[in-house]
Amino acid sequence: MGELDNYPVQISGLEQGTMSQNTIRASQNRCIVLTSTSGVTVSQNVAYDTFGHCFTVDGGSSSNIISKNIGMLTKAIPKNSLVSLFQSDYLPATFWTASPDNAFESNVAAGSEWHGFWFQIDTAKESVALGSFVNNIAHSNEGDGVTLYPNGYLPATTATLENTKSYLNKGYGMTIHRSTNVKVYKGLFSDNRMGVSLRRSDKIHLSSLKITGVSATYKAVSKTMSMATLCPAHRAIVGVQLMSNTQFPHHTGSSLENIAFENFT
């Protein structure tokens, strides 16, 4: 478990190719790993009950398309099983990338022991333009649905995360940390401990979103199961959190526009 380069599928150094309509289950170390790869399409694959980051794209990979894949029950690799201190698989993400210049479209991340989608961007790639992040779904994860952390993202032109649906995550629907020039456009955030968290970030634009604190469906299920609220109950439920942006010397602030907030009680 956790050994480097021991993966069900590793695509390394390729320029063009397709991996489509495959299933991976009970893997002890990741699922599909792209290393120094470009022009590859990973599409319509299903991964279930696996350890470590599942669909992974390293910092040397660009112009790849990760689309219409489903990852379920992504589990943590114990720290004592990791070979490298640089691995973060003990905090697994179903979709993990160190490079933003790839396309993530219409994927589903469900039931991870940590995050659904994790942009753990290499510092050398923090200003690179986003490929795309469109129509992705994250739900029922123990951590965040989508997170840009810890290095953040500082693109020269606006990066748009479009039509994200993130719900029933025990962490945050989306975390944007130490970032600027990011737009979250359209989408749904519901039944998360926090909808969207903007931390130490500037020029973040939230637009045309629906953010629900506790949905009617969740209330009905909670009542049936004798649960009073989202777990853990001692933490407040927040729609959008904006924290300090003063690390940016010429900070101008972030904006919220055309957002529907509902059912915060």
Side-chain angles (χ1 to χ4, degrees):
M1 178 181 288
E3 293 186 26
L4 292 177
D5 299 325
N6 287 357
Y7 312 124
V9 178
Q10 182 178 28
I11 302 174
S12 180
L14 237 62
E15 297 180 0
Q16 294 188 337
T18 301
M19 181 176 177
S20 180
Q21 300 181 24
N22 303 284
T23 60
I24 297 172
R25 61 182 300 172
S27 168
Q28 300 294 296
N29 193 26
R30 300 188 176 183
C31 304
I32 300 173
V33 178
L34 272 59
T35 307
S36 299
T37 295
S38 63
V40 169
T41 296
V42 177
S43 180
Q44 301 180 69
N45 300 287
V46 177
Y48 173 75
D49 191 19
T50 60
F51 283 86
H53 301 315
C54 189
F55 298 90
T56 74
V57 182
D58 79 343
S61 296
S62 62
S63 302
N64 300 289
I65 299 173
I66 316 299
S67 69
K68 300 180 181 177
N69 301 286
I70 301 175
M72 299 170 287
L73 200 59
T74 305
K75 298 178 180 179
I77 294 178
K79 279 188 176 182
N80 59 9
S81 296
L82 297 176
V83 174
S84 169
L85 293 175
F86 296 101
Q87 286 181 268
S88 53
D89 296 76
Y90 64 94
L91 300 173
T94 303
F95 294 86
W96 178 93
T97 185
S99 178
D101 50 342
N102 296 279
F104 290 84
E105 301 178 353
S106 303
N107 300 289
V108 178
S112 169
E113 285 192 347
W114 199 237
H115 298 318
F117 296 83
W118 187 359
F119 284 77
Q120 193 177 8
I121 298 172
D122 284 355
T123 54
K125 285 291 191 81
E126 65 182 12
S127 62
V128 171
L130 178 69
S132 64
F133 191 84
V134 181
N135 296 334
N136 294 293
I137 298 173
H139 71 85
S140 309
N141 299 293
E142 293 292 317
D144 295 349
V146 181
T147 190
L148 284 71
Y149 184 87
N151 299 331
Y153 188 27
L154 310 170
T157 57
T158 301
T160 300
L161 313 181
E162 184 173 352
N163 199 31
T164 300
K165 293 180 173 63
S166 184
Y167 55 93
L168 286 172
N169 301 291
K170 289 187 178 180
Y172 300 165
M174 180 179 290
T175 295
I176 299 176
H177 176 264
R178 206 188 74 82
S179 298
T180 187
N181 261 355
V182 176
K183 182 176 183 178
V184 183
Y185 177 62
K186 293 186 177 179
L188 167 71
F189 297 86
S190 179
D191 300 311
N192 304 292
R193 176 53 51 187
M194 186 175 295
V196 180
S197 177
L198 309 182
R199 301 180 175 186
R200 300 174 63 193
S201 295
D202 192 47
K203 297 180 183 177
I204 309 299
H205 307 286
L206 308 184
S207 176
S208 303
L209 306 176
K210 181 178 181 180
I211 301 179
T212 302
V214 183
S215 68
T217 300
Y218 190 92
K219 285 182 179 179
V221 172
S222 299
K223 185 176 181 180
T224 301
M225 299 177 66
S226 299
M227 296 166 55
T229 184
L230 294 166
C231 297
H234 64 275
R235 293 171 55 190
I237 298 172
V238 177
V240 175
Q241 178 190 61
L242 296 93
M243 299 178 70
S244 173
N245 64 346
T246 55
Q247 79 168 86
F248 294 93
H250 304 291
H251 53 274
T252 60
S254 296
S255 66
L256 284 67
E257 177 185 16
N258 191 30
I259 299 176
F261 295 91
E262 66 176 22
N263 292 344
F264 287 86
T265 58

